Amino acid sequence: MAATMATASTVVGLGTSTLSSPKKLNLSSGTNVIKRFLKSPVTARNPLKLAQASGGKFTCFERNWLRTDLNVIGFGLIGWIAPSSIPAINGNSLTGLFFSSIGTELAHFPTGPALSSPFWLWMVCWHLGLFLTLTFGQIGFKGRTEDYF
């Protein structure tokens, strides 16, 4: 059976194309083969020793991992307030409903809003839209400045 695998065979459907088997591998259990297989070509680095090289501070992430930019926050806030201020919910805007519900809840200040209050719905919807806008703004703005797309 080993003899038939070592010969070249014609691939069905490709006409004259042939596949040749690779050279016969020596799979003996010699210690040199096992040592070469188990030995990693990259030496392991101790993160505590690397911390000494960077001034004694050990960090897993680069220093400015968030790469904050005030343009993203400014344009993202404007980019959310503008469409959420369009009167699309029975003649009212989401921002208007949220801010008016804040005023309604502040009218009885020491007592918090009830669970059945519409304040919670407007708060969750408004902030969810804001955070999605800021997240996509960060992705888009940084993607453009760092030439991802």
Side-chain angles (χ1 to χ4, degrees), residues 102 104-115 117 119-120:
I102 291 173
T104 305
E105 295 303 326
L106 284 177
H108 53 84
F109 168 62
T111 308
L115 289 177
S117 173
F119 165 77
W120 297 112

Side-chain angles (χ1 to χ4, degrees), residues 16-73:
T16 60
S17 297
T18 59
L19 291 177
S20 60
S21 297
K23 297 178 182 177
K24 186 177 176 186
L25 295 174
N26 185 9
L27 298 177
S28 65
S29 62
T31 56
N32 289 338
V33 173
I34 293 174
K35 284 181 185 177
R36 278 187 282 154
F37 181 73
L38 294 178
K39 186 176 180 183
S40 174
V42 179
T43 58
R45 296 180 186 158
N46 185 351
L48 298 176
K49 288 184 181 179
L50 289 176
Q52 294 171 352
S54 64
K57 296 178 183 176
F58 175 70
T59 57
C60 292
F61 299 103
E62 59 184 75
R63 193 69 141 160
N64 189 14
W65 66 271
L66 186 57
R67 292 175 283 201
T68 56
D69 192 352
L70 295 179
N71 289 328
V72 175
I73 295 171

